[in-house]
Amino acid sequence: MKHLFEYFWSSPYGTPEELWFGQFTLQHLAALVAMVVLIAAVVWIYRRSSIHRRKLIRLVVGICVLSMELIIRQVGFVVTGIYSAGILPLHACAAATFCVFIDSIKPNSWCREYLYAIGSWGALCALIFPDWADQPLMNLFTWQSFLAHGFLVAYILMILVAGEFRPSIHNLWKVVVIMAIFVIPSVIANNTWGTNFWFLASGSQGSPLAPLQQMAGSYYIPVLAVLLTVVWLVMYLPWLVKKSPRELGGSYADQ
């Protein structure tokens, strides 16, 4: 117990292995339960709020996720003296963070479609298979990661549940454009500094991507592309069979 908060304000790296919270341990499961409660609470409050209050909630969530990325993560790693190229905000969830902030100021189909098509399940998978499991549970950067991904899931769920957004397969080209904006510099960074943005270089350890890469070998990237296409078909099929093609919550200007 005396070591519980010893590493809270320090670098999460280089800590004793016995302090790592690990994947699917009691500590990890407890953190997941906390995230489920947080997400459910945010969605419930948002669903019952007025239009004016919803705007405020979106803005608060947008500012929170951006602050966690730019202030706690980016500045925090600089302050602790362990900043590296791998911390650059180029991952899929970093793109989702920017989309949440932009959409919280001005709701738009570009950001919302990306959040549904990539950010939602990307953040959810990050929570289930955290690549920061080799950190102490009681660490600032550990909870920055949990909370940032939790709020990403909460944001897309709250606008879906409130009927303010209807995913459209016709907007997937916008998702591809946003992906290109982040993937292109990510590929350059991966080749230059040996980073692993978007997990294009290798599958995240402890996630299904690791065995997938082992089986796919040199076909890893094409297999990822096929897998993403399948995921999108599954995610958009329910919306294709809906009778009404219009947005359920009115125009973006009304939000």
Side-chain angles (χ1 to χ4, degrees), residues 70-92:
L70 296 184
I71 298 178
I72 297 180
R73 181 171 171 80
Q74 298 299 317
V75 176
F77 273 90
V78 170
V79 171
T80 54
I82 56 171
Y83 197 91
S84 65
I87 306 301
L88 291 169
L90 292 176
H91 261 306

Side-chain angles (χ1 to χ4, degrees), residues 131-244:
D131 60 359
W132 63 91
D134 56 349
Q135 300 176 184
L137 183 64
M138 291 297 111
N139 179 269
L140 176 64
F141 298 104
T142 297
W143 280 101
Q144 177 272 328
S145 296
F146 273 117
L147 290 172
H149 289 94
F151 276 123
L152 290 180
V153 175
Y155 192 91
I156 188 62
L157 279 181
M158 68 190 196
I159 60 176
L160 280 171
V161 172
E164 295 176 346
F165 170 63
R166 179 188 174 87
S168 172
I169 198 168
H170 301 293
N171 284 330
L172 275 178
W173 68 271
K174 298 179 179 179
V175 178
V176 174
V177 170
I178 295 176
M179 288 176 63
I181 292 174
F182 283 85
V183 168
I184 292 175
S186 293
V187 171
I188 296 174
N190 290 346
N191 291 331
T192 303
W193 297 306
T195 51
N196 191 25
F197 294 118
W198 289 74
F199 302 113
L200 295 175
S202 63
S204 176
Q205 292 301 314
S207 78
L209 289 181
L212 177 66
Q213 182 194 13
Q214 293 178 352
M215 291 186 294
S218 59
Y219 296 99
Y220 174 60
I221 300 300
V223 168
L224 280 184
V226 173
L227 181 61
L228 179 60
T229 301
V230 172
V231 169
W232 280 350
L233 287 175
V234 172
M235 292 180 69
Y236 281 90
L237 184 60
W239 303 101
L240 289 174
V241 299
K242 293 271 188 181
K243 291 183 179 180
S244 174

